[in-house]
Amino acid sequence: TGHRRRPSRNPDRQKPGNQFSFSIQPKGEVLQKIKDEMRKSGVSYALSEICDTISGNPQRYNVIINSTEGEDAPHFVTTKIDNKIFSSKEKAVNHLLTNHSAKVFVREVEVEIDLSNNFQYVYQCPQTKALLPPSNYHYHEEVVRQHLLLNGVSDSYNAYSKKLVKVEDSEIIAEWTQKPLQVYKFAIIGNESLWHKSVEQLKVACMHEPHAALFQINKSAKISGDCLSLVEPGIADQFKGFYQQRANWLNGLFSACLINLKKSNFAIFKHSEKKRTFASAYRRAKVGDAPLNKTSEKIVAVLGMLDEVKKSVLLNHDDLRDVDKRNLLIELKWLTKEGFVTEFSNGILILN
């Protein structure tokens, strides 16, 4: 087995000042598969090897996210529509309204306004090329906010306003004023009896809508390691920095695996010069006066002469040449599952 430095018993390290803390936990079904394979093969694995197997593939672990702000910390908000995770309801609402408006609200025309042709200028959206009223127009701000909402533009009102292109061509303005300006009202799907006359009113209503309709709210968040694209960018970026330093998360993963294996009655023992921690599906035992057949007696005798030996070397040992290889393997597996012999993942065998 390749040796790795055994993790210390210190808690997982988190950088001071971070808004979120993280831990990596093995998925139950993945650890169960590892345990089933260990029971089937009888091979003992170092806890570090098990941790490497799990951490080597993001599909095999969950990331647990908590706030570092204590009891008064904000809850994590998961959207029902697309399972995105946010650190606040406001961010979740903005995401839903920008990306899933058709699934969140319905709209109706609240008022149609006939436009006069005396505008000195209008604005043009740099993305949709649609024309919008000038900043001194009564409905300017609401029309712009509705344009952002209905076109899935994620910019804030102030940031977007700075990007608007001023248009002073009288012919373009005259053509635009031929059609009435429509201003909408909105209702949350499932609650169409209550209409909101502005985008801001709609956002406030979404924030106070019963949680079950749009969100799931929890003190912590759990997400598969391969689904970090579902987490708000600020949280995902902080996790990437956390994950890059192995010492940040190894202790938590090691402990979670160790506890799970102990609860499943796996034998935990230390071996090698560095006293690495290993797990076996079978309790280790000394042969003592246990009744053995002749093949097992021969195997035990050879192992008793050697400190440790590769399985391939044992199978070709001079004292075992007269034994059929298939029978050797069958008896060796029996000795392993009885706990008399330990086989490691690198093929090394020892007599317990």
Side-chain angles (χ1 to χ4, degrees):
T1 52
H3 296 309
R4 278 191 190 275
R5 186 175 181 181
R6 183 170 62 87
S8 69
R9 290 294 180 263
N10 295 325
D12 287 347
R13 305 170 190 175
Q14 309 280 345
K15 285 186 179 181
N18 281 346
Q19 186 181 356
F20 307 101
S21 64
F22 307 91
S23 63
I24 291 177
Q25 300 289 312
K27 288 186 178 178
E29 64 271 22
V30 172
L31 207 45
Q32 187 59 50
K33 189 173 181 179
I34 291 172
K35 290 186 292 187
D36 290 344
E37 180 58 33
M38 291 175 71
R39 291 187 180 102
K40 182 179 177 181
S41 68
V43 174
S44 297
Y45 286 89
L47 264 292
S48 59
E49 292 176 307
I50 295 173
C51 288
D52 286 346
T53 297
I54 292 168
S55 64
N57 185 338
Q59 294 180 337
R60 296 174 182 161
Y61 60 79
N62 290 316
V63 178
I64 311 300
I65 310 168
N66 283 284
S67 173
T68 58
E69 298 177 13
E71 286 297 318
D72 297 327
H75 290 70
F76 291 91
V77 182
T78 304
T79 57
K80 290 288 188 73
I81 291 173
D82 58 2
N83 294 314
K84 294 267 189 178
I85 297 174
F86 296 89
S87 58
S88 72
K89 278 202 288 186
E90 182 179 5
K91 291 178 180 179
V93 167
N94 286 336
H95 165 76
L96 289 176
L97 294 183
T98 299
N99 298 284
H100 300 285
S101 58
K103 297 179 181 179
V104 177
F105 66 84
V106 291
R107 59 172 169 152
E108 288 185 1
V109 175
E110 169 71 5
V111 61
E112 281 194 345
I113 306 166
D114 291 326
L115 298 170
S116 62
N117 192 13
N118 59 1
F119 294 118
Q120 299 300 309
Y121 71 92
V122 293
Y123 287 116
Q124 185 178 56
C125 172
Q127 292 167 254
T128 66
K129 305 305 179 184
L131 297 181
L132 300 164
S135 53
N136 60 357
Y137 185 69
H138 177 65
Y139 285 102
H140 168 81
E141 181 173 341
E142 182 58 27
V143 170
V144 171
R145 288 186 182 278
Q146 292 192 10
H147 181 78
L148 291 173
L149 175 66
L150 299 176
N151 289 278
V153 180
S154 59
D155 289 339
S156 69
Y157 169 77
N158 290 332
Y160 177 76
S161 294
K162 294 176 182 178
K163 298 178 182 179
L164 290 174
V165 179
K166 198 171 188 179
V167 176
E168 297 176 297
D169 187 308
S170 58
E171 291 185 7
I172 294 176
I173 295 173
E175 182 181 352
W176 176 67
T177 59
Q178 295 304 306
K179 295 181 180 179
L181 181 67
Q182 293 183 325
V183 182
Y184 297 95
K185 61 181 179 178
F186 308 92
I188 298 171
I189 292 176
N191 193 9
E192 289 88 344
S193 61
L194 183 60
W195 289 90
H196 311 284
K197 295 186 178 182
S198 72
V199 172
E200 288 306 298
Q201 286 182 14
L202 174 64
K203 287 184 178 181
V204 171
C206 289
M207 294 274 288
H208 294 90
E209 185 75 4
H211 297 158
L214 297 173
F215 315 113
Q216 182 178 342
I217 299 179
N218 295 291
K219 268 290 191 182
S220 63
K222 180 172 79 171
I223 192 165
S224 178
D226 63 330
C227 292
L228 285 168
S229 60
L230 296 177
V231 179
E232 86 174 50
I235 301 176
D237 290 344
Q238 190 177 313
F239 174 76
K240 288 174 185 175
F242 166 86
Y243 184 76
Q244 285 172 357
Q245 298 297 320
R246 186 179 174 86
N248 284 341
W249 48 264
L250 182 57
N251 290 328
L253 180 60
F254 184 97
S255 298
C257 292
L258 181 64
I259 291 169
N260 186 290
L261 290 164
K262 283 184 174 180
K263 286 183 176 179
S264 298
N265 294 317
F266 273 59
I268 306 298
F269 63 96
K270 294 186 182 296
H271 181 69
S272 80
E273 293 179 3
K274 294 186 178 181
K275 297 296 182 184
R276 297 172 72 204
T277 302
F278 287 82
S280 170
Y282 301 98
R283 294 287 172 186
R284 305 172 85 215
K286 294 186 180 298
V287 174
D289 297 326
L292 304 175
N293 63 26
K294 289 184 178 181
T295 300
S296 289
E297 285 179 351
K298 288 182 178 182
I299 293 172
V300 168
V302 172
L303 288 172
M305 293 186 296
L306 305 169
D307 182 31
E308 59 179 40
V309 63
K310 279 273 192 181
K311 182 192 280 190
S312 58
V313 174
L314 177 75
L315 295 176
N316 292 291
H317 194 277
D318 288 342
D319 292 356
L320 299 174
R321 286 191 181 277
D322 61 334
V323 183
D324 178 73
K325 290 287 192 296
R326 184 171 178 275
N327 287 338
L328 275 177
L329 289 170
I330 291 172
E331 290 305 312
L332 187 57
K333 192 164 191 176
W334 180 84
L335 288 167
T336 300
K337 291 189 173 183
E338 288 297 312
F340 301 138
V341 172
T342 296
E343 179 182 351
F344 296 100
S345 61
N346 61 356
I348 292 290
L349 301 168
I350 61 170
L351 185 67
N352 295 329

